[in-house]
Amino acid sequence: MSRGASISTMGIMRQTKARSTLLKAVLLASALLLLQCFKFCSASSIKSEGAKCLDSAADSGRCSEGESQVLRCKSSGLFKFQDTPPKRRKASKLSMCQNFAKKTCCNKTHTNIALRKTREMALAGFPPACMQISEKVFCMNCHPSVGTGEITTICPKLCNSWYNACANEFFSSQGINVPPAPCYGDAVVCSQLSSFIANGRDMCKVFGYEVALDGTNKKDCYDGHANAATLAGAEAEVEEDDGSLLGEIIQMLTEQPTIPAAVVAVLIVLLLLAFGTHQKLE
């Protein structure tokens, strides 16, 4: 191949690469502009409908016909949630609280909080009965209705069961407004739980839980369980990608609860075309 032909070929390759980069940028910009436009145009109406539904729910106990209420996760205490509806997650990706995996605001970071608490009990040699009920209590925030703020209190019956199972175990005081911790390791002052807490209601309060009034329907407070209806209807968690830009953008799109599936599909097609065309031309 002559020198002139070689230079010409290199020029064509540079132009092709430049065109592919420009095409990728245009398609990406189109997708992102469409996303922002849709979110901007629909945000006010969604907010209005949501408020309207909440008002009607407060008056009648349910949303009016034709309205829908999208419940979103709300942070509480150590449990910092993203502002999205509860998701269906793989049980294997939760370190605890797998009974709520079908619909929960929790991910592994949140269940690790509950796991650390139960591990402390295991180190202290607490009996299985105490640990099992403790796990139910510690998983409270992973219940879908608790995570969205629909339920804010724990049932007195669960508190009583918790106290009866753990009353004879030893705890060390952590100070004012700090829950007592299982007594193990270098703990100096340890006391039997029943020596400073009289009943289940007081136990739940000391550990930072708001207790429902006696006689409250168990559907209106956390009892450690979730029925099939409560766990139904959650969208599947997006599988984690390898960290590529395409994977991150697609995950962002699919996690937007206010965007219809058809719009998400169009955006993803634009993105795939952008990245696919770029790779093909390269």
Side-chain angles (χ1 to χ4, degrees):
M1 181 182 295
S2 66
R3 178 179 176 82
S6 177
I7 294 174
S8 176
T9 301
M10 290 177 64
I12 293 173
M13 290 176 64
R14 289 195 189 97
Q15 291 177 2
T16 301
K17 188 172 183 179
R19 284 198 299 270
S20 70
T21 301
L22 178 61
L23 178 60
K24 177 180 177 180
V26 170
L27 289 171
L28 278 173
S30 300
L32 294 176
L33 282 173
L34 180 59
L35 170 63
Q36 292 301 321
C37 178
F38 183 85
K39 290 174 70 176
F40 176 79
C41 295
S42 63
S44 58
S45 62
I46 291 172
K47 184 176 180 180
S48 174
E49 288 299 318
K52 185 178 179 182
C53 179
L54 288 173
D55 290 340
S56 70
D59 294 335
S60 63
R62 59 181 178 82
C63 291
S64 300
E65 186 178 355
E67 298 172 352
S68 61
Q69 180 182 4
V70 179
L71 296 171
R72 304 169 76 85
C73 301
K74 298 179 180 179
S75 298
S76 176
L78 296 175
F79 290 79
K80 308 299 182 184
F81 297 133
Q82 291 185 338
D83 183 24
T84 62
K87 298 182 186 297
R88 183 171 71 251
R89 305 186 187 276
K90 289 184 177 181
S92 59
K93 291 191 175 182
L94 300 178
S95 52
M96 262 185 60
C97 316
Q98 288 91 347
N99 53 318
F100 300 132
K102 291 183 178 180
K103 189 176 185 180
T104 183
C105 293
C106 290
N107 56 32
K108 191 172 183 179
T109 300
H110 304 116
T111 56
N112 281 344
I113 296 173
L115 181 62
R116 283 194 295 269
K117 294 179 179 180
T118 55
R119 280 180 174 173
E120 288 183 343
M121 291 186 165
L123 290 171
F126 285 12
C130 174
M131 291 188 60
Q132 288 171 5
I133 298 182
S134 297
E135 288 181 11
K136 288 184 179 181
V137 174
F138 297 153
C139 285
M140 178 173 174
N141 290 82
C142 294
H143 185 288
S145 297
V146 176
T148 57
E150 291 177 277
I151 292 177
T152 59
T153 58
I154 190 170
C155 296
K157 184 177 180 180
L158 180 57
C159 292
N160 293 333
S161 298
W162 193 24
Y163 179 77
N164 292 334
C166 303
N168 295 327
E169 305 312 313
F170 285 83
F171 289 79
S172 60
S173 176
Q174 301 294 297
I176 300 175
N177 296 326
V178 180
C183 196
Y184 69 95
D186 298 329
V188 178
V189 180
C190 298
S191 304
Q192 208 168 28
L193 185 68
S194 58
S195 68
F196 61 95
I197 294 180
N199 52 58
R201 178 176 290 275
D202 288 346
M203 181 178 181
C204 279
K205 287 182 177 180
V206 167
F207 278 86
Y209 299 97
E210 183 180 351
V211 186
L213 296 175
D214 291 330
T216 299
N217 190 310
K218 68 177 184 178
K219 292 182 180 180
D220 299 322
C221 58
Y222 175 71
D223 67 348
H225 304 283
N227 57 40
T230 303
L231 295 175
E235 293 185 1
E237 176 187 24
V238 177
E239 289 293 328
E240 294 183 359
D241 194 75
D242 59 2
S244 66
L245 176 61
L246 175 61
E248 291 179 4
I249 295 175
I250 290 178
Q251 180 169 344
M252 177 191 71
L253 292 175
T254 54
E255 286 182 346
Q256 295 295 329
T258 60
I259 303 178
V263 177
V264 172
V266 171
L267 294 172
I268 290 176
V269 167
L270 286 173
L271 291 169
L272 290 174
L273 283 172
F275 280 83
T277 302
H278 176 67
Q279 291 174 357
K280 183 177 180 180
L281 291 175
E282 285 183 334

